[in-house]
Amino acid sequence: MIHGQCLCGAVTFEIDVPDDHLGETRFCYCRECRRANGSMFSSNVPVPRDRYRMTAGQDNVTEYKSSPGTVRAFCTTRGSPVYAHTDQAPDMIRIRLGTLDEPAKATPIAHAWVSEKPEWHDIAGDLPQSPQEYTAS
């Protein structure tokens, strides 16, 4: 079991993950992710909804439709991001890796929406870079 929480700890959750491996993650540079996280990119990993369980603070979560088909959830006490979900993958929930309490294995596979990347940031490494959403070929 992997545990996580929002910035103030009002919202807590756990993810039942075999072998502590969350799966494939993408680094997203889209404007919405950057604004929602207050950083140059977000690190999100999709996990099956049936493996995610909020353990406290459900009343402290508000969801916001940030763009067509995308909903972001935040803690209402301190405003930190908790998760997101999309209409394209209704059985998945996107976890913010920064909300996890303990290290978990996640495999970075790509940089997405690099067309919206800040000019002042250079991407290092050999991961694929996609101008928009990354889809594996």
Side-chain angles (χ1 to χ4, degrees), residues 109-114 117 123-132 134:
I109 63 166
H111 299 274
W113 287 97
V114 296
K117 172 187 77 62
I123 298 173
D126 297 330
L127 291 178
Q129 297 182 27
S130 176
Q132 295 184 339
Y134 176 79

Side-chain angles (χ1 to χ4, degrees), residues 32-115:
E32 288 83 12
C33 279
R34 289 189 293 115
R35 287 185 178 133
N37 291 285
S39 63
M40 73 181 96
F41 63 86
S42 66
S43 301
N44 308 309
V45 64
V47 297
R49 279 184 184 265
D50 62 356
R51 295 185 176 272
Y52 175 89
R53 185 171 72 91
M54 197 166 296
T55 53
Q58 179 65 42
D59 293 342
N60 284 62
V61 175
T62 189
E63 292 190 346
Y64 166 70
K65 190 170 189 173
S66 61
S67 57
T70 300
V71 173
R72 298 171 191 278
F74 299 87
C75 170
T76 58
T77 304
R78 298 286 183 261
S80 62
V82 182
Y83 61 82
H85 55 86
T86 66
D87 291 348
Q88 292 177 332
D91 296 333
M92 304 297 275
I93 191 164
R94 292 181 183 181
I95 303 302
R96 302 329 192 204
L97 288 176
T99 63
L100 301 178
D101 291 339
E102 57 261 340
K105 298 173 195 160
T107 305
I109 63 166
H111 299 274
W113 287 97
V114 296
S115 61

